[in-house]
């Protein structure tokens, strides 16, 4: 597991002073609920609530850090002086942070905070990412008002955008059977064809192949892949089956543990990946290796960002492969270029439901807190729906013609 991240934020002069109007009531004699008297200290106190949730902490830190830099360098205000219009300007800024050389990292590059070329953004934010950013900031401001650090929330007047229905949004992020088959065909080709010549390339290609199968066949979140290790695989010797079954016990979202069935297909892919890395086919409980290993240090896990980058690479190369061999229509090629790691989780749940796996089994495998979340995968197959609707209409049309 990764260590607890530091809540430190970059300091900015306007936000580290204690202006007279910065507190909720400048004339109040009673202290606020916070020891923090500056905006930076107050935000740090808010972030401290999420230390035990590394993924949430990372997301909240990123958005609050970006916002504080903008407030200091563009708005040139402190939090108490912010107005509704300032937040509208910030939302517009997120769509294209300019000047790019000051706010955005070079295209295709990603540097750590200590690097001189580090910037708060990798590029413009999509509409969904902007909404997510403002939702996080709204939580921050509501907390600061509740803590009596601020008198008002400058986002309180923001009109709430109506979000599309979850099921409709979800259905657009599920890869079709044909698309998944082409991805697997590309990965098989990349690990057995001409591209696999040379050990370093083969190790990388086999790692990509294992990552795809692990994400799709288990439905794991990318953070869960990054934070769990080979020792999570184990045999259930108490199984009622003739042959003991393999399972994957992981620590997932909300620090909850769950067991994921390991099929013979997944076990076979695991053995291939381990063999390329000079490991025995099957893991043992004491192993220090992560689920996805660095090419140079087998005991070092890839970060969530690196895993995202690898699976995006797989999707992009698959699209190129499919286009070269004329395997998929144009809209599928576009979907592959748009796809992300979480699409494989949605695809895993959807295809399990389509194959009539019990909803309770799907819920437990994916680690959903509620069966209501799993029910979102009960969408109808569009092709079948179109076919059956057309047949239904044709039947009535034919019936009407026969009576005329």
């Amino acid at each position: 597991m990764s260590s607890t991240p530091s809540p430190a934020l970059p300091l900015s002069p306007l936000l580290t002073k204690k202006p007279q109007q910065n507190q909720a009531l400048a004339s109040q004699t009673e202290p606020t609920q916070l020891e923090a008297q500056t905006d930076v200290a107050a935000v740090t106190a808010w972030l401290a609530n999420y230390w035990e949730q590394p993924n949430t902490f990372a997301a909240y830190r990123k958005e609050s850090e970006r916002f504080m830099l903008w407030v200091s360098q563009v708005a040139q205000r402190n939090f108490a002086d912010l107005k509704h219009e300032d937040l509208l300007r910030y939302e517009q800024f997120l769509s294209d942070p300019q000047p790019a050389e000051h706010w955005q990292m070079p295209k295709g590059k990603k540097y750590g905070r200590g690097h001189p070329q580090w910037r708060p953004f990798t590029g413009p934010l999509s509409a969904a990412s902007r909404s997510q950013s403002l939702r996080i900031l709204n939580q921050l401001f509501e907390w600061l008002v509740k803590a009596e650090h601020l008198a008002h929330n400058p986002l309180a007047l923001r009109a709430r955008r109506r979000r599309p229905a979850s099921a409709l949004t979800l259905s657009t992020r599920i890869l079709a059977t044909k698309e998944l088959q082409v991805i697997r065909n590309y990965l098989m080709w990349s690990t057995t064809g001409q591209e696999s010549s040379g050990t370093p390339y083969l190790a990388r290609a086999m790692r990509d192949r294992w990552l795809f199968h692990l994400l799709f066949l288990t439905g794991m979140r990318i953070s869960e892949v990054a934070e769990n290790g080979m020792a999570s695989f184990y045999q259930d010797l108490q199984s009622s089956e003739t042959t003991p079954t393999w399972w994957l016990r992981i620590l997932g979202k909300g620090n909850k543990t769950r067991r994921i069935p390991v099929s013979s297909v997944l076990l076979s892919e695991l053995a291939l990946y381990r063999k390329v890395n000079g490991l025995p086919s099957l893991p043992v409980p004491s192993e220090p290796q992560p689920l996805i290993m660095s090419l140079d240090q087998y005991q070092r896990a890839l970060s969530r960002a690196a895993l995202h980058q690898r699976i995006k690479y797989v999707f992009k190369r698959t699209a190129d492969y499919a286009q070269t061999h004329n395997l998929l229509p144009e809209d599928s090629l576009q979907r592959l270029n748009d796809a992300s790691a979480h699409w494989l989780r949605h695809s895993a749940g959807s295809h399990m439901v389509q194959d009539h796996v019990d909803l309770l089994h799907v819920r437990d495998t994916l680690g959903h807190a509620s069966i209501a979340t799993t029910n979102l995968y009960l969408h109808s197959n569009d092709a079948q729906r179109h076919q059956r609707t057309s047949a239904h209409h044709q039947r009535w049309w034919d019936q009407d013609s026969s009576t005329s």
Side-chain angles (χ1 to χ4, degrees):
M1 294 291 291
S2 60
S3 58
T4 302
S6 166
L9 286 168
L11 304 181
S12 51
L14 283 172
L15 303 179
T16 54
K17 294 179 180 179
K18 182 188 174 184
Q20 190 69 23
Q21 70 273 31
N22 194 45
Q23 292 180 340
L25 298 173
S27 60
Q28 66 183 12
T29 56
E30 295 294 323
T32 70
Q33 296 185 49
L34 294 176
E35 288 186 5
Q37 296 186 0
T38 68
D39 292 333
V40 169
V43 172
T44 302
W46 172 68
L47 286 172
N49 290 288
Y50 302 98
W51 277 356
E52 295 182 354
Q53 304 171 51
N55 297 331
T56 302
F57 181 97
Y60 285 15
R61 172 184 171 168
K62 177 178 68 176
E63 297 305 337
S64 55
E65 181 177 58
R66 288 170 168 175
F67 181 67
M68 293 178 76
L69 287 169
W70 181 85
V71 169
S72 173
Q73 298 179 26
V74 179
Q76 298 186 356
R77 297 185 173 191
N78 54 56
F79 279 12
D81 292 331
L82 290 173
K83 305 299 181 185
H84 169 70
E85 291 83 355
D86 291 314
L87 275 298
L88 293 178
R89 288 170 57 206
Y90 181 65
E91 183 175 9
Q92 188 174 31
F93 168 81
L94 291 177
S95 66
D96 188 17
Q98 292 292 335
E101 62 273 14
H102 183 74
W103 291 101
Q104 301 178 38
M105 281 185 267
K107 191 171 183 180
K109 302 291 184 180
K110 207 164 188 179
Y111 300 104
R113 282 177 176 76
H115 195 281
Q117 292 193 61
W118 176 85
R119 298 292 183 270
F121 298 89
T122 57
L125 268 59
S126 66
S129 295
R130 295 197 298 271
S131 294
Q132 173 70 0
S133 175
L134 292 174
R135 281 196 294 272
I136 291 173
L137 292 178
N138 187 57
Q139 291 185 45
L140 166 62
F141 281 121
E142 286 185 348
W143 187 87
L144 292 177
V145 171
K146 188 175 181 180
E148 299 175 341
H149 181 76
L150 293 178
H152 66 276
N153 174 2
L155 274 170
L157 297 178
R158 180 175 179 263
R160 295 292 184 265
R161 275 64 166 176
R162 185 174 180 179
R163 300 176 67 187
S166 297
L168 293 177
T169 303
L170 184 65
S171 66
T172 64
R173 293 180 288 163
I174 293 171
L175 294 167
T177 300
K178 179 62 175 177
E179 293 164 349
L180 291 164
Q181 289 172 340
V182 172
I183 295 171
R184 188 166 186 272
N185 289 344
Y186 160 72
L187 291 168
M188 296 284 284
W189 171 78
S190 70
T191 52
T192 57
Q194 293 182 351
E195 281 203 17
S196 63
S197 58
T199 303
Y201 182 87
L202 179 60
R204 183 178 289 106
M206 190 60 75
R207 187 179 63 182
D208 289 343
R209 173 173 164 172
W210 166 237
L211 176 60
F212 165 77
H213 284 90
L214 183 62
L215 287 170
F216 177 62
L217 296 179
T218 67
M220 291 173 69
R221 301 175 178 90
I222 203 80
S223 59
E224 295 168 344
V225 172
E227 294 166 6
N228 288 274
M230 288 288 183
S232 300
F233 285 99
Y234 73 98
Q235 268 188 309
D236 184 356
L237 300 177
Q238 304 300 319
S239 172
S240 59
E241 302 291 334
T242 306
T243 305
T245 55
W246 278 88
W247 294 81
L248 185 57
R249 182 188 288 114
I250 66 165
L251 185 66
K253 188 175 181 180
N255 288 327
K256 294 179 180 178
T257 301
R258 73 177 187 276
R259 297 198 321 159
I260 300 174
V262 176
S263 66
S264 59
V265 174
L266 184 61
L267 205 61
S268 175
E269 290 294 330
L270 171 63
L272 288 172
Y273 174 59
R274 290 173 62 85
K275 181 180 178 181
V276 167
N277 289 285
L279 297 171
S281 296
L282 299 174
V284 296
S286 59
E287 281 195 359
Q289 282 83 10
L291 289 175
I292 305 294
M293 298 176 283
S294 170
L295 294 177
D296 54 352
Q297 299 179 40
Y298 289 171
Q299 294 186 21
R300 182 170 69 85
L302 262 65
S303 67
R304 286 182 297 136
L307 291 172
H308 272 294
Q309 191 176 46
R310 290 316 305 170
I311 204 65
K312 288 287 289 184
Y313 172 84
V314 168
F315 291 141
K316 175 67 170 63
R317 291 305 302 270
T318 300
D320 294 342
Y321 170 82
Q323 187 172 35
T324 300
H325 297 281
N326 196 28
L327 300 175
L328 291 171
E330 193 64 36
D331 59 335
S332 285
L333 298 178
Q334 184 59 53
R335 282 167 51 75
L336 286 174
N337 281 306
D338 292 341
S340 67
H342 214 64
W343 285 42
L344 290 178
R345 176 172 166 83
H346 292 320
S347 299
S350 176
H351 286 278
M352 279 192 279
V353 170
Q354 286 183 35
D355 289 339
H356 307 293
V357 177
D358 190 287
L359 278 179
L360 294 178
H361 297 334
V362 179
R363 179 199 64 184
D364 294 343
T365 296
L366 297 183
H368 288 155
S370 168
I371 193 68
T373 304
T374 314
N375 282 337
L376 293 175
Y377 294 117
L378 285 171
H379 58 83
S380 60
N381 180 286
D382 284 344
Q384 291 180 357
R385 181 161 62 95
H386 190 284
Q387 182 182 26
R388 290 174 184 177
T389 301
S390 296
H392 170 72
H393 290 177
Q394 190 65 44
R395 182 171 67 87
W396 283 99
W397 185 265
D398 291 344
Q399 191 176 67
D400 181 63
S401 298
S402 63
T403 58
S404 58

